Amino acid sequence: MTPLVGRATEVADVRAALRSARLVTVTGPGGVGKTRIALRAAAGIADRYQHGLCLVELSDLRDPELLPHTLADSLNLARQDSSSALDTVLEHLRDRELLLVLDTCEHLVDACAPLVDTLLREAAGVTVLATSRQPLDVPGEWIWTVAPLPVHPDGEDDGAGGRGSGQGEDWTGGDAVQLFAQCAAAAVPGFTVHEGNRADVLRLCRRLDGMPLAIELAGVRLRAVDLAELVDRLDDRFRLLTGGRRAALPRHQTLRAAVEWSFDLCTAQEQLLWSRLSVFAGSFDLAAAEEVCAGGELSGEDLLVALVGLVDKSVVLRVRDSGSCYRMLDTLREYGAERLAASGEQDAGRARHLARYLALAATFDSDFLADDQIPQYRRLRAEHADLRLAIEYALAAPGRPALAAALTSHLWGYWHIAGLHTEGRYWYAKITDRYPERVGERAWALAQSSYLGAFQADPEALAQAQECVSIADELDDPVLAGRGRVYLHLSLTFQGRHAEAARAGEEAEALLEAVGDVVGLITLETQTGYLHHLAGDLDSAIAPCERGLRRLGERSAEGWVRGYLHYVIGVACFSRGEHERSTQSATTALRIKYELGDGVGMAYCLELLAWLAVREQRFTDAVRLLGAADPLWQGAGARLGGTAIMEELHQSALRSARASLGAERCAALRQEGARQPLERVVARATERPRGTPRSRTGTRHGISPLTQREREVALLAAEGRSNREIAEHLVISKRTVDAHVERILAKLGIPARGQIAARMDIDPGVGSGVS
């Protein structure tokens, strides 16, 4: 009766599937639009079938034994008393070519499955299109899972000051927004989405997960509730979104009824798992679900069976392209939370959730320099919403502020790598509010807030570091006192107080050496090299960084500190005029920071490569690189830590580019650089431009900078062998080969192993001779 918003792809895919499959099941959560998609798909292909199509609506049927009778009635068959309804249906369909649409099978799936299986085997001309919250699991079944409507398919921001609010007349906000606009206009004639209400509409559609049923119910509520008020009250969505259209099916007349319909279809263990999973804010994997949700009436083995059941019933969605990772829609999660609270298990569930993320953060902190730093960080980043929820719970729950302090303290490196400096400082401020007295929890929060603040050029960072050191000395805590002085050293360095910074560094080194704090020492060595560079002592700037790299070990796969060590070497070499070595170090650092996902670290590297491009008079490349760094600096809160000396290098490079290209051309190139995908920026930045000087590395052109082992690895790589094949050939570990290849790329100044042969003037068709 109303236009179908979006769903063109889904309808087309279902129609295409019906060309080759005799059973297609459209699955998805309640209210996502399965029936409308199925009916639209069927209506467009009815002429393919000689005897047309037949719709069988099953939502009102409760007794599974009446399923054959319902099918017979839908086919307008007069049943003989002496024959069963199923026999009558089969006799009728054996010689017919027909599309049978079975709508809403989930509550009768145990009856529908054998019926459909029998129909497909005995009526060769029949094709079945079913809608269900779970598959029928019949041989030959083709399953199409319907996702919620997209809110912003072009990936723009949510309208709260982001780019999405400036799309002009062509802006649509996605299919979910279009559906809301259609429903709202039907309820309130003249309603449109415009600049003044766009942000509220986006918030509403996102809070409702893009679920068509919820959006339609929200549109109806505009008859009585103002849009802004509707959005503000969405936390109570089940009570708010009632009173749907009278002609709607009972299960769709209110949002609660739709969700309760799904809940009632679940087994007792599935219902228990649904409620327990509500403690997760974002996605989760099987291990997380077992750790947080197993126990009592739900053992580990039972949990897996229940999870599979919830996925089958479209209560839990499997996240595509992420392995065994799952999520729940907010509406279903909120309902689960209600059930969990009613059961009296909410506090216990949240406590298990907090314990899990405290353990993950503690492991990341204690193993910060380990080879698996990058995968550990990526796991935390993927579960950011749950980290945040765990902190919130610890701060809100009575008697748990110490756990909140511990959790935030373990995340110091996470905030830096993720570029979440402002959020990290927000949480540390919460901790210092909870601990106004001079205790360790306050001192650690001050220390780590200072460290983040220094990168943001916040003057308060220095005072925080000083207070931390004062408390640490009172408590006689050498680890805290040493780390506090490391962060004091950085704030003083960034503020240009070099002599004071050097004294703080000497004190920190003595304390950290005594307690064996390797993370603190390597961090200090990075900062010491940077301090010498800023102070103009270029001969002393590189040695601490090389010492730090040795301390990490040549095989290290750590990313955060190692990337900065290479960067500081690069910037010191730049100031010494050693541009070839500076380029090698900068590209190495950029590759490391890109793999890690460290936006601030990448910004430092792109700046340095831009300055090098200016020295080589590649002004177009330089300005694009500066532009690519701009959005990364915005995430940090300050460019180059607000350091005057580094800012002057930035401005000097920009002045040179403007003098060559003109201010207008520079502005356009800078915007172009800011818009480019980061992957492309990094690939171009680490590729040596044509026409720039480079040293030859082949044996026919002088002495190679590669060691004998590196040359062996390079020759094998030039033949096209993988790192694992090289490791097997040389009888060394793959990790060692990985490290050799990284150094080879850095020394040769190339971004990819595929360029090794050309860089070394090797004919790839000639064997390496390595044995």
Side-chain angles (χ1 to χ4, degrees), residues 410-565:
H410 289 315
L411 291 173
W412 68 270
Y414 171 77
W415 306 123
H416 279 279
I417 298 172
L420 297 172
H421 297 68
T422 299
E423 179 171 342
R425 298 189 76 198
Y426 168 83
W427 294 120
Y428 290 131
K430 293 283 188 182
I431 301 301
T432 55
D433 287 344
R434 292 291 193 283
Y435 290 96
E437 63 274 17
R438 294 170 67 81
V439 294
E441 289 88 350
R442 177 178 180 83
W444 276 112
L446 288 168
Q448 289 152 348
S449 182
S450 166
Y451 197 22
L452 293 166
F455 280 84
Q456 294 184 307
D458 187 346
E460 185 184 351
L462 178 58
Q464 289 178 325
Q466 290 169 332
E467 184 182 350
C468 165
V469 168
S470 174
I471 296 173
D473 290 345
E474 288 179 12
L475 298 175
D476 194 23
D477 184 336
V479 175
L480 177 58
R483 287 285 187 100
R485 283 172 169 82
V486 170
Y487 306 148
L488 176 62
H489 174 275
L490 184 65
S491 289
L492 291 167
T493 297
F494 280 2
Q495 291 192 16
R497 297 162 64 170
H498 299 155
E500 296 172 77
R503 285 195 297 273
E506 291 169 0
E507 295 172 3
E509 184 176 13
L511 288 164
L512 297 174
E513 286 282 10
V515 297
D517 185 351
V518 178
V519 174
L521 286 168
I522 293 180
T523 303
L524 179 61
E525 284 165 339
T526 310
Q527 295 176 191
T528 300
Y530 198 55
L531 170 62
H532 287 313
H533 168 257
L534 295 177
D537 185 5
L538 302 180
D539 292 337
S540 302
I542 296 175
C545 297
E546 293 178 332
R547 189 165 58 248
L549 289 171
R550 288 194 298 272
R551 196 187 294 268
L552 278 173
E554 68 174 16
R555 299 179 182 179
S556 173
E558 188 276 337
W560 193 67
V561 178
R562 187 165 56 103
Y564 276 122
L565 288 167

Side-chain angles (χ1 to χ4, degrees), residues 11 71 102 107 131 133 148 171 287 525 606 731 756 761:
V11 170
L71 182 53
L102 301 180
H107 61 303
T131 73
R133 299 187 190 187
W171 183 90
E525 284 165 339
L606 292 171
V731 197
I756 291 176
D761 290 334

Side-chain angles (χ1 to χ4, degrees), residues 29 209 238 259 262 274 278 314-316 328-337:
D209 302 306
F238 290 116
V259 176
S262 289
W274 181 343
S278 67
S314 302
V315 174
V316 171
M328 293 178 72
L329 298 177
D330 283 346
T331 302
L332 303 183
R333 181 184 298 112
E334 184 177 316
Y335 182 81

Side-chain angles (χ1 to χ4, degrees), residues 156-178:
E156 297 291 331
D157 292 340
D158 61 7
R163 289 176 294 168
S165 61
Q167 298 298 307
E169 294 180 359
D170 293 335
W171 183 90
T172 63
D175 293 339
V177 170
Q178 291 187 53

